[in-house]
Amino acid sequence: MPPRFPLHLRLAIGGLLSLAAAMGIGRFVYTPILPFMAEAVPLAPSEAGLVAAANFLGYLIGALAGSFGHLPGSKRNWLLGALFASALTTAAMSLDTGLLGFCLFRFAGGFASAFAMVFSSALVLDGLTRAGKPGFASLHFAGVGCGIALSALLISGLSHAGSDWQDLWLSAAAATLILLLAIVLLLPAELPETSHASQTDTNETRAPDRFPGALWRLIAAYGLFGFGYVVTATFISVIVRADAGLSGLEELVWLIVGVTAAPSIWFWSRIGARAGAATAFSIACLVEAVGVTLSVSGGGPVLMVLAAALLGATFMGITALGLMEARKLTTGDPRRILALMTASFGLGQVIGPWFAGVLYDLSGNFQAASLAAAGALVLAAALGYRGTNSEVSRD
């Protein structure tokens, strides 16, 4: 890396590529590959939902493991190791091992992507703070959307070239390894020391925990959001492929999700700065509920494209806004509230795909599950909004 290349740009771009590999590919590439995999293996919707749920369960456990305690070694080494493990588990999905094998590989992949998310964010955000450039965090988090867009282009190009579902998994793994090489070059082995950050962290860790009632409602809202977004995020490509009027649009729809997700944290952070994080959280949940409903409206290509745009433009923003508001509502060690929010969100994610698959088997479509998901998002909006008022001080 050229010596004059600014440290904060190395960190932000390295973080962007890390999340593109771990989340955009490692976690979400299942969505565009699923239609091809479901037809060829084959996988029933309920089985596909179990595979997705296994991935989200692995993510939940990995995020909690990464959030607690002090693991030996550097954050950079844990990040690089997690990304390599993500590439391996992605490649392993090309093996036709049956439902149990798919679930085990996706569980391991979810664990690896969670570790990469935790350690990349810890490394990059700490480094940007030390460099005096915390605003570049939005570039880091844009990696999720960029990775989704990359996976859409990759899967679209290879599928049109005649690649089968196994080749798609292997290509996704290869893309992860290429990104990993770039990350090795970008992210520094050590960060420069800063003045009083460690003392501030120590004092904050020693502060007693205080969980007001508004925070518990936000935790519940975060779990409902996890359930509400994941049904569409998992099955939108399948929904598009099953509609004759949308034939051939599944890769474009997933690309739109990624493109609109990339700037979403910056956009919703601006809204949060003006209206408050909790109010922005509620607004974004309502916007996403509209998108989830439109995805099963049968309204043709225009409404499906709009549904994809609304999903992409909100789900990462809601994720960030929820954590921002939770941090504001509590005192004490921030890792504890991060763990609680992650557990609630993860539980919603695990239940969502399984629930949608079961309802599909009963009804033959994803309409009931998607409407239930939209209802969960509306309830999340109500809980999040009510938690912003003066009630916080009374609890």
Side-chain angles (χ1 to χ4, degrees):
M1 187 58 56
R4 292 186 179 181
F5 195 70
L7 174 63
H8 66 277
L9 286 180
R10 291 177 61 187
L11 288 166
I13 296 172
L16 180 150
L17 296 180
S18 298
L19 293 191
M23 304 292 288
I25 296 177
R27 189 172 173 205
F28 286 115
V29 76
Y30 179 68
T31 298
I33 295 179
L34 179 56
F36 305 98
M37 191 176 176
E39 291 177 1
V41 172
L43 283 177
S46 57
E47 293 174 324
L50 280 177
V51 175
N55 180 254
F56 294 131
L57 179 61
Y59 183 86
L60 167 61
I61 295 174
L64 293 177
S67 298
F68 282 118
H70 299 283
L71 295 173
S74 70
K75 297 182 181 73
R76 183 177 184 270
N77 288 341
W78 278 106
L79 166 61
L80 298 179
L83 289 174
F84 185 70
S86 179
L88 290 181
T89 58
T90 299
M93 284 296 292
S94 66
L95 303 174
D96 194 352
T97 54
L99 180 61
L100 178 59
F102 292 144
C103 287
L104 290 175
F105 290 139
R106 289 304 287 163
F107 175 88
F111 191 97
S113 64
F115 252 54
M117 173 72 167
V118 169
F119 283 101
S120 68
S121 296
L123 174 66
V124 172
L125 298 183
D126 182 35
L128 290 175
T129 299
R130 294 184 184 197
K133 301 286 187 178
F136 278 79
S138 294
L139 183 59
H140 164 61
F141 287 111
V144 179
C146 291
I148 290 175
L150 174 62
S151 72
L153 293 172
L154 179 68
I155 302 307
S156 176
L158 291 174
S159 63
H160 286 297
S163 298
D164 62 18
W165 67 273
Q166 292 169 307
D167 292 334
L168 298 181
W169 281 112
L170 290 173
S171 299
T176 301
L177 290 176
I178 293 171
L179 291 174
L180 176 56
L181 290 176
I183 293 161
V184 169
L185 297 174
L186 282 166
L187 292 183
E190 295 182 0
L191 293 175
E193 292 297 327
T194 184
S195 55
H196 60 280
S198 59
Q199 182 64 36
T200 302
D201 292 342
T202 301
N203 292 337
E204 185 177 46
T205 301
R206 291 177 180 173
D209 289 324
R210 180 175 180 269
F211 284 14
L215 180 58
W216 290 113
R217 286 190 292 277
L218 181 61
I219 291 171
Y222 211 55
L224 289 167
F225 156 60
F227 175 88
Y229 102 91
V230 79
V231 172
T232 309
T234 300
F235 292 109
I236 189 169
S237 294
V238 176
I239 293 170
V240 173
R241 195 176 184 86
D243 189 333
L246 302 174
S247 178
L249 291 180
E250 54 263 35
E251 291 93 354
L252 174 62
V253 165
W254 190 238
L255 175 63
I256 291 170
V257 173
V259 169
T260 53
S264 63
I265 288 186
W266 174 85
F267 173 79
W268 287 106
S269 295
R270 296 291 295 268
I271 300 296
R274 292 175 177 270
T279 299
F281 174 92
S282 297
I283 294 171
C285 282
L286 293 175
V287 172
E288 187 167 295
V290 174
V292 169
T293 302
L294 289 178
S295 71
V296 290
S297 66
V302 173
L303 290 186
M304 180 56 77
V305 166
L306 179 58
L310 293 179
L311 173 68
T314 52
F315 80 94
M316 282 302 299
I318 298 172
T319 303
L321 290 167
L323 293 177
M324 288 167 54
E325 182 64 10
R327 188 66 192 94
K328 187 179 77 174
L329 291 175
T330 190
T331 59
D333 189 342
R335 290 178 302 174
R336 187 179 178 196
I337 185 55
L338 173 64
L340 284 172
M341 292 286 282
T342 300
S344 179
F345 179 71
L347 182 61
Q349 285 193 127
V350 170
I351 293 172
W354 167 81
F355 175 80
V358 170
L359 281 189
Y360 183 95
D361 284 350
L362 294 174
S363 64
N365 57 60
F366 288 102
Q367 187 169 38
S370 296
L371 293 178
L377 287 165
V378 172
L379 183 55
L383 288 171
Y385 181 76
R386 289 175 60 185
T388 67
N389 300 325
S390 59
E391 197 173 330
V392 174
S393 62
R394 299 197 306 266
D395 289 323

